[in-house]
Amino acid sequence: MADRVPAFTLVDQGLHTNAALHWNLLTPSLVEEAIRRNEGVLAADGPLVVETGKHTGRSAKDKYIVKDAETADTVWWGKTNVPMDPAHFAALKEDFLAEIAGRGDLFVADLFGGSQPEHRVNVRVINELAWHNLFIRTLLVRPSDAELASFVPEYTIIDLPSFRADPARHGCRSETVVAVNFTEKLILIGGTAYAGEMKKSVFGILNYLLPTRGVMPMHCSANIGANGDTAVFFGLSGTGKTTLSADASRTLIGDDEHGWSDTAVFNFEGGCYAKMIRLSAEAEPEIFATTKRFGTVLENVVIDPVTRQLDFDDNSLAENSRGSYPIDFIPNASAENMGPVPKNIIMLTADAYGVLPPIAKLTPDQAMYHFLSGYTARVAGTEIGVTEPEATFSTCFGAPFMPRHPSIYGNLLKERIAKGNVTCWLVNTGWTGGKATMPGISRMPIKATRALLNAALDGSLNAVEFAKDPNFGFDVPVAVPGVDTKLLNPRDAWEDKSQYDATARTLVQQFVDNFAQFEDHVDEGVKQAAPKAA
């Protein structure tokens, strides 16, 4: 193995260990180590396949931020950002450092969070598992050899899945803990083997730091057209964020986390973290192709022990099976991980109520309103006795990762939209003609969504006639070439107009009730952008 040891070591950080340290190993060495240590196996076509045990997703209720002089008035405390007392963190840190001091092996990776040099953060990650080190090296931005030689970490993450927290001593809820200390610039992750905790911890760091520099952090995908026009896609899980941004005619900047500076939209990451369950070559050929490459890491994907063939339809290990791979595994990815500032912003929702139009044009005030709302709807009919859709509001389309008050991100977005004369669209990829739970009701045709999105991105949609939506007040196209006019006005698509009106009133009230928490933090224009039942 060829370690690449920077001048600034763990000792320089005050971290002491007797462990054999493996510094900045490349993919082949990390895969070798993972297999040697029985952390995973190779699939027939080359990817490393691992299991994460009982934690197959983020442990949201076990995440804490240390509440001290730095964070008391800067963090939006509540259900998402839960405080930890500094004394409890001190005890946790003491036990983590004792744990790494006696380890046999540790893997250390020095990486960047952020592709734009002036806005990136230096992150050192210390792992007990080789595959975790490979994962985070794949997901973050990888420094050059010259950059590694002079690397000095700003933030450090120590991730020990075998560590068991003590709720009484550490002030946490269970044996699992994710503790963030912005003052000490240290994140401690214990009791979970789910690798995504590291990725989202770095996202949280950037979401905390960048707004103070006037940079907008975003939970979104982004791509660039042939004319250099960048589009940003906000959306919660299931709304089409990854699918719609993966367009063969446009260059992919990234699929999940970005910053919007004065000069660029830049990917926070150097890799992708895609859902694998029920993945098919027909539906998502580019992502499927990554599962046949050495260097991809597959989490909780079922593998035949004899043939080493993968079964993406088997969810016996996890519904949230995942694959991580370098972004350059996607053929039309940007080499720089960056693009120009955006010309279009698309906010995606999957409206299971069948109330929202397939596309609507938003004013800057409306864009901020819908950004803060972060609406989508689940189909609740899969649960016994539940027959209605369920509205979901996740502010900024990523509430779990936003340490500061949502209005800070919302105001930044509004300022950047105005400054760049950006056109904003709300795109509904959900249901049309009725609620999702009604017999015979189907999702918005993907062909229509693509046609409307293409028209929005190439500018031709700006030239059509628009009408005001009576409930939400945004502009909806009256007619678009190649799109069934009946789809454009959602009320027209319902057979029972009175039932549509009643459903619309219900959804409007849910928007209003959810937005009450932001009323005191936005200006009058944004307040007036709220929907009003017709």
Side-chain angles (χ1 to χ4, degrees), residues 298-479:
L298 300 176
E299 297 174 44
N300 302 313
V301 173
V302 173
I303 182 172
D304 186 295
V306 177
T307 67
R308 301 290 179 92
Q309 295 294 329
L310 303 168
D311 185 349
F312 296 107
D313 295 324
D314 188 335
N315 66 352
S316 58
L317 292 177
E319 182 70 21
N320 187 39
S321 56
R322 293 274 181 165
S324 54
Y325 47 88
I327 194 168
D328 59 20
F329 279 17
I330 300 296
N332 62 328
S334 163
E336 297 79 25
N337 266 6
M338 291 193 289
V341 294
K343 293 191 180 300
N344 287 278
I345 287 175
I346 295 95
M347 297 183 187
L348 299 166
T349 182
D351 177 27
Y353 289 91
V355 167
L356 295 178
I359 196 164
K361 194 174 186 178
L362 307 176
T363 67
D365 284 330
Q366 289 169 340
M368 182 174 175
Y369 184 92
H370 285 276
F371 179 70
L372 289 176
S373 297
Y375 165 72
T376 194
R378 296 192 184 96
V379 181
T382 53
E383 298 177 28
I384 295 173
V386 181
T387 58
E388 289 296 301
E390 180 182 299
T392 299
F393 295 94
S394 182
T395 184
C396 307
F397 296 97
F401 322 118
M402 306 294 177
R404 298 184 183 271
H405 193 278
S407 61
I408 290 175
Y409 306 105
N411 282 316
L412 251 178
L413 181 70
K414 186 180 172 184
E415 290 166 13
R416 291 215 164 271
I417 288 170
K419 185 177 179 181
N421 194 26
V422 181
T423 306
C424 300
W425 307 91
L426 182 70
V427 172
N428 174 24
T429 61
W431 282 258
T432 180
K435 299 177 190 177
T437 48
M438 291 178 176
I441 300 304
S442 58
R443 283 194 80 156
M444 202 72 69
I446 187 68
K447 186 177 179 181
T449 301
R450 287 265 186 209
L452 291 167
L453 191 54
N454 289 340
L457 296 183
D458 68 22
S460 61
L461 195 57
N462 291 314
V464 307
E465 180 186 354
F466 287 83
K468 294 284 182 192
D469 183 276
N471 295 295
F472 285 84
F474 40 48
D475 288 337
V476 180
V478 174

Side-chain angles (χ1 to χ4, degrees), residues 63 65 75-76 80-81 203-204 207-208 216-219 234 371 395-406 409:
K63 179 191 167 190
I65 297 175
V75 168
W76 184 42
T80 298
N81 297 312
F203 190 36
N207 280 320
Y208 185 75
M216 174 70 192
M218 304 178 292
H219 187 214
F234 291 104
F371 179 70
T395 184
C396 307
F397 296 97
F401 322 118
M402 306 294 177
R404 298 184 183 271
H405 193 278
Y409 306 105

Side-chain angles (χ1 to χ4, degrees), residues 159-242:
D159 190 339
L160 305 175
S162 65
F163 183 89
R164 297 293 178 263
D166 178 349
R169 174 168 164 77
H170 302 136
C172 52
R173 188 185 69 101
S174 72
E175 291 184 338
T176 300
V177 65
V178 179
V180 181
N181 191 319
F182 284 113
T183 299
E184 296 190 28
K185 300 183 176 180
L186 178 64
I187 297 173
L188 305 175
I189 302 172
T192 172
Y194 180 66
E197 296 286 9
M198 293 181 285
K199 162 190 159 69
K200 289 306 183 187
S201 292
V202 177
F203 190 36
I205 292 170
L206 290 163
N207 280 320
Y208 185 75
L209 295 178
L210 292 183
T212 63
R213 307 175 189 173
V215 177
M216 174 70 192
M218 304 178 292
H219 187 214
C220 69
S221 58
N223 64 24
I224 319 167
N227 297 321
D229 56 304
T230 298
V232 164
F233 299 77
F234 291 104
L236 300 174
S237 180
T239 59
K241 180 163 58 86
T242 298

